[in-house]
Amino acid sequence: MDEKKELNEIWTSRWNERYRNDEFAYGEEPNNYLKERLTKLSVGTILFPAEGEGRNAVYAAKLGWKVSAFDISSEGKNKAMKLAKKNNVTIDYKVGNLETLDFESEKFDAIALIYAHFPANIKSLYHKTFDSYLKKNGTIIFESFSKKHIDYVTANEKVGGPKDIESLFSIDEIKSDFPNYEIIELVEQEIELNEGLYHNGTGSVIRFIGRKK
């Protein structure tokens, strides 16, 4: 087995294990930042990468968005489908690595990257790929842990997030990955998280709202 395939199987197994339980790992309610920002946009088409158990995708669908999502975890999709059914909405949810999926260029009005922590060696490549999927004047909504978060998760594992600094984000990385965007907001700040079983406590995040030029 080649190294890339082995790492992918380890990654997939880890997330399937997390999502296999009946309880939702990060709760059934949407992320607060997504909730705050999504209601300020006109309804359209939206993509949720690394969507896990579907809490954010289902919320968008309830607002009337046409929702696409993907994750490497089939267990995550199973939970998302149950949550969508419970809320009487439909989402288009694919399972697989991004490079194996067939999303169209300039298809989406918005892309929501909510704790979409991809492996360090591909995260910038993925960001540039997402950019190609977004329409001109489309919006990126981004909240993920910052590089400072390494100190927070070391002090309190319950807050969650990657424990390797390369998988965390900086403001400079976001500027580099999304250079052709009008920056509506780009901040690093400390927040309190209370999301299900695995996001609880004080953490440090990057928040970014960008409009594609």
Side-chain angles (χ1 to χ4, degrees):
M1 184 184 295
D2 65 66
E3 184 178 359
K4 183 179 179 182
K5 185 176 180 181
E6 185 175 6
L7 285 172
N8 184 59
E9 289 190 2
I10 290 171
W11 199 255
T12 302
S13 177
R14 172 193 168 191
W15 287 107
N16 276 333
E17 185 65 30
R18 174 155 294 188
Y19 296 145
R20 190 168 284 125
N21 299 321
D22 289 339
E23 192 165 354
F24 279 68
Y26 301 101
E28 298 182 28
E29 296 301 315
N31 170 266
N32 285 334
Y33 190 60
L34 174 80
K35 191 173 180 180
E36 172 194 335
R37 303 304 306 210
L38 195 60
T39 54
K40 297 180 179 180
L41 301 179
S42 298
V43 169
T45 54
I46 187 168
L47 175 65
F48 287 88
E51 175 52 7
E53 297 167 313
R55 64 192 177 107
N56 297 311
V58 167
Y59 172 74
K62 287 171 70 177
L63 293 180
W65 288 79
K66 184 177 180 181
V67 176
S68 296
F70 78 89
D71 200 283
I72 56 172
S73 170
S74 58
E75 295 289 347
K77 178 180 179 178
N78 291 341
K79 297 279 276 296
M81 293 298 98
K82 290 177 183 177
L83 189 62
K85 184 177 181 180
K86 178 180 176 180
N87 285 275
N88 298 309
V89 295
T90 300
I91 58 176
D92 177 24
Y93 194 124
K94 301 179 186 292
V95 175
N97 293 304
L98 181 61
E99 53 270 24
T100 69
L101 306 177
D102 56 351
F103 295 113
E104 299 172 20
S105 295
E106 300 184 2
K107 177 179 181 179
F108 297 102
D109 298 299
I111 297 178
L113 294 160
I114 306 298
Y115 298 100
H117 286 277
F118 300 103
N121 62 324
I122 62 170
K123 63 179 185 177
S124 286
L125 173 63
Y126 271 30
H127 283 173
K128 289 174 172 59
T129 304
F130 298 142
D131 169 69
S132 73
Y133 297 159
L134 193 64
K135 295 176 184 178
K136 184 179 179 181
N137 296 318
T139 302
I140 294 283
I141 303 174
F142 179 101
E143 179 176 280
S144 293
F145 291 117
S146 79
K147 292 191 183 297
K148 288 181 182 177
H149 185 71
I150 200 77
D151 294 328
Y152 291 81
V153 71
T154 300
N156 172 27
E157 287 193 357
K158 291 182 179 180
V159 73
K163 296 179 181 178
D164 61 301
I165 200 162
E166 292 82 9
S167 295
L168 301 169
F169 295 97
S170 69
I171 284 178
D172 286 343
E173 281 180 336
I174 298 304
K175 287 181 177 178
S176 176
D177 287 353
F178 300 102
N180 56 325
Y181 282 70
E182 175 190 355
I183 296 173
I184 309 300
E185 179 174 53
L186 179 55
V187 295
E188 180 173 13
Q189 66 186 75
E190 184 179 279
I191 66 168
E192 292 297 319
L193 283 165
N194 181 20
E195 298 184 323
L197 300 172
Y198 293 102
H199 275 175
N200 291 285
T202 307
S204 177
V205 299
I206 301 289
R207 286 175 162 176
F208 170 55
I209 304 295
R211 183 177 296 121
K212 186 176 179 178
K213 294 179 181 177

